PDB file of all heavy atoms in Angstrom:
ATOM      1  N   ALA W 349      31.818  -3.153   1.569  1.00 98.00           N
ATOM      2  CA  ALA W 349      32.621  -4.265   1.047  1.00 98.00           C
ATOM      3  C   ALA W 349      32.261  -5.581   1.673  1.00 98.00           C
ATOM      4  O   ALA W 349      32.246  -6.587   1.000  1.00 98.00           O
ATOM      5  CB  ALA W 349      34.138  -3.942   1.278  1.00 98.00           C
ATOM      6  N   PHE W 350      31.911  -5.605   2.969  1.00 98.00           N
ATOM      7  CA  PHE W 350      31.486  -6.820   3.664  1.00 98.00           C
ATOM      8  C   PHE W 350      30.221  -7.312   3.212  1.00 98.00           C
ATOM      9  O   PHE W 350      30.081  -8.523   2.980  1.00 98.00           O
ATOM     10  CB  PHE W 350      31.484  -6.443   5.123  1.00 98.00           C
ATOM     11  CG  PHE W 350      31.039  -7.663   5.997  1.00 98.00           C
ATOM     12  CD1 PHE W 350      31.927  -8.755   6.252  1.00 98.00           C
ATOM     13  CD2 PHE W 350      29.809  -7.691   6.651  1.00 98.00           C
ATOM     14  CE1 PHE W 350      31.590  -9.800   7.041  1.00 98.00           C
ATOM     15  CE2 PHE W 350      29.395  -8.693   7.412  1.00 98.00           C
ATOM     16  CZ  PHE W 350      30.276  -9.810   7.588  1.00 98.00           C
ATOM     17  N   THR W 351      29.207  -6.440   2.976  1.00 98.00           N
ATOM     18  CA  THR W 351      27.912  -6.883   2.540  1.00 98.00           C
ATOM     19  C   THR W 351      27.899  -7.287   1.072  1.00 98.00           C
ATOM     20  O   THR W 351      26.950  -7.943   0.556  1.00 98.00           O
ATOM     21  CB  THR W 351      26.842  -5.874   2.888  1.00 98.00           C
ATOM     22  OG1 THR W 351      27.124  -4.640   2.204  1.00 98.00           O
ATOM     23  CG2 THR W 351      26.706  -5.680   4.386  1.00 98.00           C
ATOM     24  N   GLY W 352      28.862  -6.671   0.281  1.00 98.00           N
ATOM     25  CA  GLY W 352      28.897  -6.981  -1.109  1.00 98.00           C
ATOM     26  C   GLY W 352      28.115  -6.151  -1.973  1.00 98.00           C
ATOM     27  O   GLY W 352      27.838  -6.359  -3.214  1.00 98.00           O
ATOM     28  N   ILE W 353      27.450  -4.917  -1.485  1.00 96.00           N
ATOM     29  CA  ILE W 353      26.681  -4.157  -2.262  1.00 96.00           C
ATOM     30  C   ILE W 353      27.582  -3.314  -3.218  1.00 96.00           C
ATOM     31  O   ILE W 353      28.725  -3.274  -3.029  1.00 96.00           O
ATOM     32  CB  ILE W 353      25.728  -3.206  -1.498  1.00 96.00           C
ATOM     33  CG1 ILE W 353      26.567  -2.403  -0.512  1.00 96.00           C
ATOM     34  CG2 ILE W 353      24.749  -4.102  -0.565  1.00 96.00           C
ATOM     35  CD1 ILE W 353      26.120  -0.946  -0.528  1.00 96.00           C
ATOM     36  N   THR W 354      26.948  -2.739  -4.232  1.00 94.00           N
ATOM     37  CA  THR W 354      27.771  -2.085  -5.350  1.00 94.00           C
ATOM     38  C   THR W 354      27.729  -0.635  -5.354  1.00 94.00           C
ATOM     39  O   THR W 354      28.316   0.009  -6.322  1.00 94.00           O
ATOM     40  CB  THR W 354      27.274  -2.698  -6.684  1.00 94.00           C
ATOM     41  OG1 THR W 354      25.970  -2.357  -6.826  1.00 94.00           O
ATOM     42  CG2 THR W 354      27.511  -4.131  -6.742  1.00 94.00           C
ATOM     43  N   TYR W 355      27.174   0.088  -4.403  1.00 96.00           N
ATOM     44  CA  TYR W 355      26.926   1.501  -4.525  1.00 96.00           C
ATOM     45  C   TYR W 355      28.121   2.350  -4.244  1.00 96.00           C
ATOM     46  O   TYR W 355      28.380   3.291  -4.956  1.00 96.00           O
ATOM     47  CB  TYR W 355      25.763   1.964  -3.484  1.00 96.00           C
ATOM     48  CG  TYR W 355      24.484   1.296  -3.854  1.00 96.00           C
ATOM     49  CD1 TYR W 355      23.968   0.277  -3.128  1.00 96.00           C
ATOM     50  CD2 TYR W 355      23.781   1.801  -4.961  1.00 96.00           C
ATOM     51  CE1 TYR W 355      22.778  -0.277  -3.452  1.00 96.00           C
ATOM     52  CE2 TYR W 355      22.527   1.230  -5.342  1.00 96.00           C
ATOM     53  CZ  TYR W 355      22.049   0.207  -4.584  1.00 96.00           C
ATOM     54  OH  TYR W 355      20.844  -0.425  -4.904  1.00 96.00           O
ATOM     55  N   GLY W 356      28.985   2.006  -3.371  1.00 95.00           N
ATOM     56  CA  GLY W 356      30.274   2.713  -3.161  1.00 95.00           C
ATOM     57  C   GLY W 356      30.147   4.030  -2.458  1.00 95.00           C
ATOM     58  O   GLY W 356      29.060   4.481  -2.040  1.00 95.00           O
ATOM     59  N   LYS W 357      31.213   4.717  -2.340  1.00 98.00           N
ATOM     60  CA  LYS W 357      31.342   5.942  -1.475  1.00 98.00           C
ATOM     61  C   LYS W 357      30.564   7.025  -2.124  1.00 98.00           C
ATOM     62  O   LYS W 357      29.929   7.873  -1.449  1.00 98.00           O
ATOM     63  CB  LYS W 357      32.803   6.383  -1.459  1.00 98.00           C
ATOM     64  CG  LYS W 357      33.026   7.659  -0.579  1.00 98.00           C
ATOM     65  CD  LYS W 357      34.507   8.030  -0.498  1.00 98.00           C
ATOM     66  CE  LYS W 357      34.774   9.249   0.206  1.00 98.00           C
ATOM     67  NZ  LYS W 357      36.174   9.611   0.221  1.00 98.00           N
ATOM     68  N   SER W 358      30.411   7.071  -3.465  1.00 97.00           N
ATOM     69  CA  SER W 358      29.721   8.178  -4.136  1.00 97.00           C
ATOM     70  C   SER W 358      28.250   8.155  -3.735  1.00 97.00           C
ATOM     71  O   SER W 358      27.632   9.298  -3.597  1.00 97.00           O
ATOM     72  CB  SER W 358      29.754   8.086  -5.678  1.00 97.00           C
ATOM     73  OG  SER W 358      29.176   6.885  -6.111  1.00 97.00           O
ATOM     74  N   ALA W 359      27.626   7.064  -3.533  1.00 98.00           N
ATOM     75  CA  ALA W 359      26.262   6.990  -3.028  1.00 98.00           C
ATOM     76  C   ALA W 359      26.153   7.596  -1.605  1.00 98.00           C
ATOM     77  O   ALA W 359      25.166   8.312  -1.332  1.00 98.00           O
ATOM     78  CB  ALA W 359      25.723   5.577  -3.092  1.00 98.00           C
ATOM     79  N   LEU W 360      27.076   7.318  -0.810  1.00 98.00           N
ATOM     80  CA  LEU W 360      27.116   7.886   0.609  1.00 98.00           C
ATOM     81  C   LEU W 360      27.224   9.390   0.582  1.00 98.00           C
ATOM     82  O   LEU W 360      26.483  10.096   1.346  1.00 98.00           O
ATOM     83  CB  LEU W 360      28.203   7.246   1.414  1.00 98.00           C
ATOM     84  CG  LEU W 360      28.261   5.655   1.392  1.00 98.00           C
ATOM     85  CD1 LEU W 360      29.425   5.185   2.195  1.00 98.00           C
ATOM     86  CD2 LEU W 360      26.957   5.136   2.068  1.00 98.00           C
ATOM     87  N   GLU W 361      28.132   9.817  -0.293  1.00 98.00           N
ATOM     88  CA  GLU W 361      28.318  11.262  -0.432  1.00 98.00           C
ATOM     89  C   GLU W 361      27.042  11.959  -0.957  1.00 98.00           C
ATOM     90  O   GLU W 361      26.705  13.061  -0.535  1.00 98.00           O
ATOM     91  CB  GLU W 361      29.537  11.599  -1.378  1.00 98.00           C
ATOM     92  CG  GLU W 361      30.823  11.138  -0.672  1.00 98.00           C
ATOM     93  CD  GLU W 361      31.978  11.295  -1.758  1.00 98.00           C
ATOM     94  OE1 GLU W 361      31.688  11.104  -2.988  1.00 98.00           O
ATOM     95  OE2 GLU W 361      33.083  11.580  -1.296  1.00 98.00           O
ATOM     96  N   GLY W 362      26.390  11.217  -1.853  1.00 98.00           N
ATOM     97  CA  GLY W 362      25.099  11.820  -2.353  1.00 98.00           C
ATOM     98  C   GLY W 362      24.042  11.985  -1.336  1.00 98.00           C
ATOM     99  O   GLY W 362      23.232  12.962  -1.318  1.00 98.00           O
TER     100      GLY W 362
END
Side-chain angles (χ1 to χ4, degrees):
F350 178 74
T351 59
I353 61 135
T354 59
Y355 295 105
K357 182 180 179 181
S358 62
L360 307 176
E361 291 173 329

